[in-house]
Structures are given as C-alpha cells and as structure tokens.
Amino acid sequence: MLQLECRSWNAAAGRHTPCCRSGTSSRFLTDTMRGYRGVKYTLFFFCYCFWVVSAVLIAVGIYAKVAKEKDVVDTLTVDPALLLIVVGLLMFLITFLGCFGALRNATCLLKMFLSILAVVLVLQVAAGAVTYVLTDLVMERTEMLMMKAVVRYREDRDLENAIDFVQKKFQCCGVENYKDWSRNVYFECSESNPSLEVCGVPFSCCVHLQNQTVLNTMCGYGMQQQQEAAARQHIFTPGCLQRIVLWAQKNLLLVAGLTAGLLLLEVCMMGLAAAQAAWIHRVRRRQKVSEGRRAEERKERLWFPAFADFTEE
C-alpha cells in the first residue's frame, strides 16, 4: 500500500529519523487512510458482485449452448444463449478491471474501468433518449425482431422456451394477435402444409383452466380458423407486444426505479474509481517530492559532512 513517510536528518545520529507528528496530524492521516480503505474495498465489493453475476451468465449461456442441437444456426438477435455469453463476457472483462485495479492500486486499470463505465453510461442514456424520441421507430424494430423469433419457433429450443415463457407470463399470443403464428412453417394456415399443427398456435397461448391437472399440448390446434370471439374461449388472443407495453405503463414507477438505481450504481462506481485513482496519484506525487528532498539532503552531506569546521583561516 502506498504510504507517505515523514523523515528528517539527524546530524548527531548520522541518519534519517522519523519526524514527530502532532496528535492532530496523526489523527488526520489515520482518518484519511480509513477513508481511502473504505473507498477501495467498497469499489472492490461492487465490482466483485457484478463479476460473480457475469460468471454465472457465462456459465448458463455455455451450458445452454452445449445442450442445444448441433445443427442450429445461431444469431445474436434471437439466440438467448449466445446473448447471455456475450453480455457475460463484457461484464466479466469490465468488472475484472475494477476488481484488480482497486485491489492492487493500479491507476491505469482504474482509469480504463472508469472510461469504459462512462462510455456505457452515455450509451444507456442515449438509448433511453432515442427510445423516448423515436418511440414509433423503436416499436417497429421491436415488432420485426419479435416476428423473426416467431418464424424461428421450433428451430431453437432456447428461443422456444423463451417465447412460451413470455406468452404464459403476459397471457398473450403472437406479436400483434394470435394469427401471427401463420408466419411459422409449422403453424402456417394453408392446404399445402403437412404439419399436424396447421392453423394452430403453441400450447403456451392456451387459457389454463383452474381444475386442469394435465397439460393439454393440443389445445391450440385449429385456433387460427376461428373468429377472435370464439378463439378467446380457449386461447389468449391479444398480441405480446401490446401486453408488454401495457405492463410497462402500469409498472412505470418500478421500471423507472430499477433503471435509475442501475444508473446511480454505475455513477457511484465511477466516483469511487475516480476518487481512488486521484488519491493514489496525489500520494505518489508527494512521495516524489519527498524523495527529491532526501536526494538533495544526501547530496549536501557529500559536500558538507556533519561537524565540518567552517572557521575562516
């Protein structure tokens, strides 16, 4: 750990001796060191927590990737396993810089951590501003992404489970309505479709009865051929995009609170990293000044040894 030493030249002893500090200065130095340690280990704790979370995300993503079929073509936009691995790796690298930099007092790593976190914060704020200003464009792109997921249903096990979870959670079916499932080759409503699920919807769209003990996976068969009023008796007909937007509007305070909490945590970590880097820089600068003074004193002793007689002849 960086330390500042206070020493003076003792001519009688012929060596440097620690200088006496007053009680006020000693207490000030102790309080300063306590504050520095608090900043250091608080930053390390936050970074370590995110580091563990990132490791868990990577492990889950790799497990899902290995357990998946070998012939599946993965894309980052619709593959949850690949998305978990990428996000986990980015978090792992960023938080590693913060952990190691805080623990080893490495100003270069702390500055890199601070810079990357500042860029991430700016991108998050910019994304929020763009989403607010260009709401229609964002909704259109989101709808296109969800439609791609519907098309790839049954081709990717992870994506299939994710869609089923969303449809059960929000009690919805499809993107805009339940007939969006005709875009999928397995549920396409056409005479040339040989699938047993032709004109149907996934079982996650079905209304779960209170007394139902056995899951009926065929409950969505042929539902696209029925009118909405008749289909509503058996499946959820509203689209998931609309339901998700309504949920976000109803829980606006919760969403805003979580977002503000995350941004505030990032700002706090940036402040802690900046404070530790500034403290280390200040201590090293004082050490250089102290070393320079000691070098000058040693140089003077070479020319003017102790007890030298300077009487004029």
Side-chain angles (χ1 to χ4, degrees), residues 50-161:
F50 280 100
W51 196 35
V52 172
V53 172
S54 65
V56 173
L57 291 178
I58 295 174
V60 173
I62 293 176
Y63 174 79
K65 198 73 174 172
V66 172
K68 191 184 297 184
E69 295 84 350
K70 301 296 183 180
D71 58 344
V72 174
V73 179
D74 299 325
T75 57
L76 183 60
T77 54
V78 294
D79 184 17
L82 188 59
L83 187 62
L84 284 177
I85 294 175
V86 172
V87 173
L89 283 175
L90 291 176
M91 286 181 58
F92 187 88
L93 294 176
I94 295 173
T95 52
F96 174 78
L97 294 176
C99 284
F100 195 77
L103 201 60
R104 302 299 298 174
N105 299 320
T107 53
C108 58
L109 296 181
L110 288 173
K111 290 179 180 179
M112 289 179 59
F113 173 73
L114 177 61
S115 301
I116 295 175
L117 211 58
V119 172
V120 172
L121 180 64
V122 171
L123 291 178
Q124 288 175 336
V125 174
V130 170
T131 302
Y132 180 77
V133 174
L134 304 176
T135 305
D136 295 337
L137 179 61
V138 173
M139 292 293 292
E140 180 181 352
R141 293 299 176 89
T142 305
E143 181 179 350
M144 291 175 57
L145 184 62
M146 294 177 69
M147 283 295 186
K148 289 182 180 179
V150 167
V151 172
R152 294 199 58 211
Y153 188 84
R154 294 276 194 246
E155 297 179 6
D156 189 327
R157 180 66 61 182
D158 293 331
L159 182 62
E160 180 180 341
N161 293 333

Side-chain angles (χ1 to χ4, degrees), residues 73-261:
V73 179
D74 299 325
T75 57
L76 183 60
T77 54
V78 294
D79 184 17
L82 188 59
L83 187 62
L84 284 177
I85 294 175
V86 172
V87 173
L89 283 175
L90 291 176
M91 286 181 58
F92 187 88
L93 294 176
I94 295 173
T95 52
F96 174 78
L97 294 176
C99 284
F100 195 77
L103 201 60
R104 302 299 298 174
N105 299 320
T107 53
C108 58
L109 296 181
L110 288 173
K111 290 179 180 179
M112 289 179 59
F113 173 73
L114 177 61
S115 301
I116 295 175
L117 211 58
V119 172
V120 172
L121 180 64
V122 171
L123 291 178
Q124 288 175 336
V125 174
V130 170
T131 302
Y132 180 77
V133 174
L134 304 176
T135 305
D136 295 337
L137 179 61
V138 173
M139 292 293 292
E140 180 181 352
R141 293 299 176 89
T142 305
E143 181 179 350
M144 291 175 57
L145 184 62
M146 294 177 69
M147 283 295 186
K148 289 182 180 179
V150 167
V151 172
R152 294 199 58 211
Y153 188 84
R154 294 276 194 246
E155 297 179 6
D156 189 327
R157 180 66 61 182
D158 293 331
L159 182 62
E160 180 180 341
N161 293 333
I163 293 175
D164 288 337
F165 173 79
V166 171
Q167 291 190 147
K168 291 178 181 178
K169 177 67 176 179
F170 294 97
Q171 297 182 351
C172 56
C173 190
V175 181
E176 295 182 351
N177 54 60
Y178 66 103
K179 292 188 177 182
D180 290 334
W181 283 104
S182 187
R183 296 173 179 264
N184 186 281
V185 293
Y186 295 93
F187 303 100
E188 183 182 2
C189 198
S190 64
E191 296 180 356
S192 59
N193 188 359
S195 174
L196 295 176
E197 298 175 308
V198 59
C199 293
V201 295
F203 72 94
S204 55
C205 292
C206 297
V207 178
H208 182 72
L209 302 178
Q210 294 182 354
N211 298 328
Q212 185 177 0
T213 57
V214 179
L215 181 63
N216 182 12
T217 58
M218 302 175 61
C219 56
Y221 283 22
M223 287 297 162
Q224 293 186 50
Q225 294 177 328
Q226 299 185 13
Q227 296 297 324
E228 184 175 354
R232 194 180 297 119
Q233 304 296 326
H234 305 281
I235 63 173
F236 303 111
T237 56
C240 291
L241 182 60
Q242 178 185 2
R243 285 297 181 91
I244 293 174
V245 172
L246 290 176
W247 179 89
Q249 292 176 351
K250 290 181 180 179
N251 299 272
L252 185 60
L253 292 178
L254 176 62
V255 175
L258 292 175
T259 305

